[in-house]
């Protein structure tokens, strides 16, 4: 391989790495993730998200150890947020989710602690003090089943637990409230 060929190959590899890093930053919470994107899925039901039934999502809360299931919130809209203690945009948005849960008791806020350990989850909860329940997903099985595309990700489920919208990336209270409007019909 000539010096010129090695230089071209190294340049191409650097461009590819930069592209992957940029895509990761966008998926991990770039500036565009503050409003929910309405989901148009044909049938529109929860099972259309990667062919899975979101209602079947359940597991132990990594902080309290209590069993948590979306079926516990039958007939109630749900904000389902995937978070992790190792995810900076997740840390930033968790206080807004807690505010949302207090401001909108008509909506259940449920977290999914994705690919994280119990100690990290408990430490972050003590630090930030949110009160909504979460489901432990230490090996990413729930996230993989639902086709998770970045961290954090928030699904907005209506009272029938059909996906109405999603935010991939970090959000703030205003973005979460727009998602609540999608699932409650308020503001229309």
């Amino acid at each position: 391989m000539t010096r010129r060929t090695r230089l071209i190959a190294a340049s191409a590899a650097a461009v590819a790495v930069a592209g992957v890093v940029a895509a990761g930053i966008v998926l991990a919470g770039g500036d565009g993730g503050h409003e929910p994107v309405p989901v148009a899925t044909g049938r529109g039901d929860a099972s259309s998200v990667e062919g899975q039934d979101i209602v079947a999502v359940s597991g132990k809360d990594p902080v309290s150890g209590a069993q948590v299931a979306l079926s516990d919130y039958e007939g109630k809209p749900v904000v389902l947020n995937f978070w992790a203690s190792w995810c900076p945009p997740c840390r930033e948005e968790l206080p807004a989710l807690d505010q949302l849960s207090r401001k909108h008791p008509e909506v259940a806020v449920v977290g999914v602690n994705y690919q994280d350990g119990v100690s990290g989850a408990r430490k972050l909860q003590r630090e930030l003090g949110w009160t909504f329940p979460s489901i432990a997903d230490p090996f990413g099985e729930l996230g993989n089943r639902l086709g998770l595309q970045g961290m954090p990700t928030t699904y907005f489920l209506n009272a029938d637990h059909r996906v109405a919208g999603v935010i991939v990336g970090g959000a703030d209270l205003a973005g979460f409230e727009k998602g609540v409007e999608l699932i409650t019909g308020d503001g229309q």
Side-chain angles (χ1 to χ4, degrees), residues 29-43:
D31 289 337
H34 293 286
E35 291 188 20
V37 175
V39 174
T41 58
R43 292 186 318 215

Side-chain angles (χ1 to χ4, degrees), residues 31-188:
D31 289 337
H34 293 286
E35 291 188 20
V37 175
V39 174
T41 58
R43 292 186 318 215
D45 63 6
S47 63
S48 66
V49 176
E50 294 297 312
Q52 297 299 319
D53 184 1
I54 288 183
V55 176
V57 171
S58 65
K60 281 194 173 184
D61 187 307
V63 175
S64 70
Q67 192 67 24
V68 179
L70 288 190
S71 61
D72 296 340
Y73 305 102
E74 188 175 333
K76 191 172 188 174
V78 176
V79 175
L80 184 67
N81 176 266
F82 281 77
W83 65 274
S85 64
W86 49 261
C87 167
C90 300
R91 289 172 164 268
E92 291 174 17
E93 76 175 11
L94 282 166
L97 276 169
D98 194 45
Q99 282 182 286
L100 184 79
S101 71
R102 294 170 194 266
K103 188 174 179 181
H104 294 279
E106 75 279 11
V107 174
V109 174
V110 178
V112 177
N113 183 228
Y114 180 73
Q115 293 186 340
D116 203 359
V118 170
S119 63
R122 286 181 177 165
K123 181 180 177 189
L124 185 59
Q125 194 281 331
R126 280 192 306 271
E127 179 184 325
L128 300 178
W130 70 83
T131 57
F132 58 85
S134 288
I135 297 167
D137 187 18
F139 303 108
E141 294 165 356
L142 293 175
N144 292 337
R145 223 174 68 200
L146 297 176
L148 193 65
Q149 294 182 15
M151 284 292 289
T153 293
T154 305
Y155 294 99
F156 297 91
L157 311 177
N158 66 18
D160 296 326
H161 293 180
R162 292 189 168 125
V163 179
V166 64
I167 297 174
V168 178
D172 55 17
L173 182 59
F176 291 135
E177 286 186 328
K178 288 182 181 186
V180 167
E181 288 175 12
L182 281 174
I183 59 179
T184 63
D186 292 344
Q188 293 183 4

